[in-house]
Amino acid sequence: MRGSRSVMRIQATLAVATGCLAAAACGATATPQSGQPAQSRQATQQPSQSPTQPAQPARSGSTSPRPSPTAAPPSASSAPAGPPPFSAKISKVTRDRLRHSWRPGCPVPIGDLRMVTMTYWGFDDRPHTGELVVHKDATDAVVTVFGRLYGWRWPIYKMEPVDAYKGDDFDSIEADNTSAFNCRPATGSSNWSQHAYGRAIDINPRENPYVSANGTVAHKNARRFARRPVHAPGVINPGDRVVKAFQRVGWEWGGYWSGIKDYQHFSKSGG
C-alpha cells in the first residue's frame, strides 16, 4: 500500500507540473489569491501610453481630429477706406468755359490752353476736386507738383478757374481761390502777366498775399500773413518743400522777388 501511495503522489505531482507548463506556454495567468482582483489579459499585454509620448498619426481611412476653430480674418470691406489717390485729367478747354478770362487779342489762343481737373487736399482735411486752366506745355509740371502737394496733405482752400469770378482777379483772391490762366497784364504793369499765357499759378492768395514794397496788402483778410515766415496751414515760406517742388520743374516763386513779394505766385518764366 505504501508503495502504491508513493506512485500515486508522483503521478499527481507530474500532472500539476505538466499543467503549469501548459499554462505558461499559452500565456495564462495564475489564479489570483482570494481578495486580490484579477487583471485582464489586455491590461497586462498593453501598458498605458505615457502622456509625454506624441500622439500616433491617424491611419489611412480614419477620421482625423478637426483643428480648433480660429477667428476669420476681417474682410476687405470691413477695413476703413482711406482717401482716394491723387488723380488728374487733362482736357481741351471750350470757349464757353473762358467767356470772361479770354478775349481776342490775348497772347495765347484757346487751342493752346488745357483744363487740368485734379484732386487736392482741403483745409477741412478732406480730398476735393478742382480745376486749373494752364498752357498745354505746363500740364506735366502742374500735375507733378500738385500730386506732391496732395501726397503731403498740404491744404488748398479752393481751386476754380477765374471765370467763376467773371475773370475778376481781385474777387478770386478775396475768395482765397487758387487759379492759373487769366488774360490780364501783370500787377502794376502794362505787359502781359504770365497768367495771360497760362504759365503762372496763384496758390492760397489769402495765406500768401501780394505785398507791396512798403509792406501793405490790398486784401484785408490777408494782412496777418504779410510777413514771412508764417507757420500756418497753406502758407508758403522761403525754402520750404512747396517752393522746392516748383523749383524742380523749373518754376520760380514770387516770394523771392526784390522789393515787392508775391508769395502766392509761381511762374514758368517769371512775371
Side-chain angles (χ1 to χ4, degrees):
M1 289 294 294
R2 182 178 296 177
S4 62
R5 288 179 180 175
S6 299
V7 171
M8 291 176 63
R9 289 176 179 174
I10 294 172
Q11 290 177 345
T13 302
L14 291 173
V16 172
T18 302
C20 291
L21 290 173
C26 295
T29 57
T31 302
Q33 297 180 1
S34 176
Q36 293 182 349
Q39 295 180 347
S40 66
R41 179 178 297 179
Q42 184 177 6
T44 57
Q45 290 181 343
Q46 299 180 0
S48 61
Q49 189 175 25
S50 171
T52 59
Q53 293 179 347
Q56 296 296 319
R59 294 181 181 179
S60 176
S62 64
T63 303
S64 301
R66 294 183 180 180
S68 59
T70 56
S75 60
S77 60
S78 65
F86 174 79
S87 64
K89 177 184 176 182
I90 300 171
S91 57
K92 291 185 177 181
V93 187
T94 57
R95 178 70 177 91
D96 63 329
R97 296 297 308 272
L98 305 175
R99 288 182 298 168
H100 304 286
S101 59
W102 187 92
R103 60 187 179 274
C106 288
V108 60
I110 293 177
D112 286 350
L113 297 175
R114 296 291 183 269
M115 179 74 75
V116 181
T117 304
M118 57 186 168
T119 47
Y120 68 90
W121 199 254
F123 274 73
D124 58 358
D125 205 30
R126 294 180 180 180
H128 299 270
T129 301
E131 294 179 320
L132 285 180
V133 178
V134 300
H135 196 280
K136 64 182 180 181
D137 64 14
T139 55
D140 288 347
V142 169
V143 170
T144 296
V145 172
F146 280 87
R148 290 190 178 121
L149 299 186
Y150 183 81
W152 296 333
R153 303 296 186 256
W154 195 85
I156 294 171
Y157 186 76
K158 187 182 293 187
M159 186 189 294
E160 297 178 314
V162 75
D163 261 64
Y165 305 89
K166 297 183 178 180
D168 192 313
D169 187 59
F170 187 94
D171 288 348
S172 179
I173 291 174
E174 279 286 296
D176 202 11
N177 179 52
T178 295
S179 66
F181 171 76
N182 193 7
C183 187
R184 64 173 179 83
T187 302
S189 172
S190 58
N191 297 323
W192 289 115
S193 165
Q194 286 298 306
H195 287 282
Y197 297 91
R199 297 189 179 110
I201 299 174
D202 290 340
I203 301 178
N204 292 343
R206 182 176 76 96
E207 289 78 16
N208 304 291
Y210 178 97
V211 183
S212 63
N214 62 6
T216 61
V217 297
H219 301 268
K220 295 180 180 179
N221 63 2
R223 286 177 180 173
R224 68 187 183 95
F225 298 102
R227 294 179 179 271
R228 304 283 113 153
V230 176
H231 299 289
V235 170
I236 303 167
N237 287 301
D240 71 8
R241 58 184 178 177
V242 178
V243 175
K244 291 177 180 178
F246 275 98
Q247 286 177 336
R248 290 190 189 102
V249 296
W251 285 43
E252 301 175 11
W253 182 45
Y256 286 147
W257 294 350
S258 60
I260 62 170
K261 301 292 183 183
D262 199 354
Y263 295 121
Q264 65 199 261
H265 183 88
F266 290 94
S267 59
K268 187 173 181 179
S269 303

